[in-house]
Amino acid sequence: MADKTSPASGWPLIKGDFHSGDANSCVAVVTMGSHLDEQGICDAGAALCGSCKTENLGLEKVIANVIANPNIRFVLLCGTEVKGHLSGQTLRALHEGGLEGGKVVGSKGAIPFIENLDDAAVKRFQEQTEVVDIMESEDLGEIKAKISELVGKDPGAFDAAPIVVEVKEEEGGAGEEAGEAVELNGDLALIHARFKTIEKMVTDIGYRDRFAAGVYSGKIEGLMIGLIVSFSILGLLLLG
C-alpha cells in the first residue's frame, strides 16, 4: 500500500458544494457545472467530489482543499463545462501555466483572476497533482472506472507538509455563495472582466500619480528652501 500522511487538521478546510470521502484517497473529482451523485462518487474511492462553477473563487476552493491534503495526487475533471466561466479549461490552464499578475495564464474564462492563492500555493498544486480530463462525461460508470484506475496508480502522499490557505469571499462579489455560483452569461462575464482590468489599471495609475506628485512636491520644497537660504546669505553679506 502506498505511503499516506495526515491532511491538515479539520480537512476539508474550505466549505463548498462538494462531498468528502476517504482522506487517504489519491483522487479528487471535480464535476464542474454538473450535479452528479457526489456522495456515490466519494463512496467509489474519491477523497472529494463536487462542482466548480467559477474560474476564480471556485478554483481557489478546490485547490485550497487539495494542497491541504498531500494524499491527493490526481484531480479528475468531468461533467459539463460552465458557459462563460470555463472553469474546467481555466483549471487546466492554471495547472499548466500558473499565474501572471494574478491572472491565470492561458485561461479563456471571463474572469480568471486569482486573489487568495500565491505563487507558492499554485506551484504546490502543480507539483502535487496530475490533472486527468474526461470533461463532458456524466457517465457515473466511466467516472468510477477512472477513479479505480487512478487509485491503482497511487504514488503515495506528496512528500511535503499540508499547505493551509485562507479563501476569503468578497461581500456581494461575483463568485460562489453558500457553495453555489452567482452565474453570469458570457457577455456579462466579459463586461465584469473588463471592469476588473480597468479597475486594476486605474489603481496603478493612481499609484504613479501619487509618486509623481511626491516628486514634484519635493522639487518645489527644495527650490523654496534654496531661495530662503540664498536670500539669507545675501542679507548677511549686505549687512556686513
Side-chain angles (χ1 to χ4, degrees):
M1 180 178 178
D3 292 336
K4 298 296 175 181
T5 190
S6 297
S9 177
W11 184 88
L13 305 178
I14 311 300
K15 304 307 176 186
D17 188 18
F18 61 84
H19 287 72
S20 58
D22 181 5
N24 287 326
S25 172
C26 62
V27 184
V29 179
V30 188
T31 61
M32 295 307 164
S34 301
H35 277 284
L36 305 178
D37 179 11
E38 282 91 2
Q39 189 57 59
I41 292 173
C42 285
D43 292 342
L48 287 173
C49 180
S51 61
C52 176
K53 301 184 182 69
T54 57
E55 73 282 36
N56 36 64
L57 183 61
L59 256 63
E60 290 175 344
K61 290 181 176 183
V62 170
I63 293 170
N65 277 327
V66 167
I67 63 179
N69 185 351
N71 294 315
I72 297 176
R73 305 305 304 276
F74 301 100
V75 177
L76 176 61
L77 310 185
C78 58
T80 58
E81 183 63 282
V82 184
K83 183 179 179 181
H85 294 286
L86 302 179
S87 50
Q89 187 274 330
T90 301
L91 192 151
R92 293 196 307 273
L94 179 65
H95 192 273
E96 292 171 5
L99 298 175
E100 186 174 304
K103 184 177 181 181
V104 178
V105 176
S107 170
K108 298 178 181 178
I111 322 171
F113 295 94
I114 301 300
E115 298 180 354
N116 292 294
L117 304 176
D118 59 17
D119 290 338
V122 172
K123 184 177 180 181
R124 169 61 175 272
F125 176 66
Q126 294 170 318
E127 293 177 345
Q128 178 180 321
T129 65
E130 174 185 340
V131 172
V132 179
D133 188 353
I134 57 170
M135 287 282 294
E136 304 308 323
S137 175
E138 295 183 319
D139 185 323
L140 291 179
E142 181 182 1
I143 294 168
K144 291 178 179 180
K146 181 59 71 172
I147 292 171
S148 180
E149 175 188 330
L150 295 174
V151 168
K153 299 177 180 178
D154 188 357
F158 187 73
D159 187 20
I163 292 180
V164 175
V165 174
E166 181 181 4
V167 175
K168 298 178 181 178
E169 300 191 39
E170 296 181 6
E171 286 189 28
E176 296 193 357
E177 187 172 318
E180 292 294 334
V182 179
E183 292 292 348
L184 303 175
N185 64 37
D187 292 336
L188 286 177
L190 182 58
I191 291 170
H192 190 129
R194 287 177 176 172
F195 270 119
K196 195 172 183 73
T197 301
I198 291 170
E199 181 182 1
K200 186 176 186 302
M201 290 172 65
V202 169
T203 300
D204 291 342
I205 290 170
Y207 288 145
R208 287 196 291 269
D209 285 346
R210 284 198 292 272
F211 176 75
V215 172
Y216 179 76
S217 177
K219 287 180 178 179
I220 296 298
E221 185 178 351
L223 179 61
M224 292 302 296
I225 291 172
L227 287 172
I228 291 170
V229 171
S230 298
F231 284 132
S232 297
I233 294 172
L234 181 60
L236 290 173
L237 290 173
L238 290 174
L239 288 174

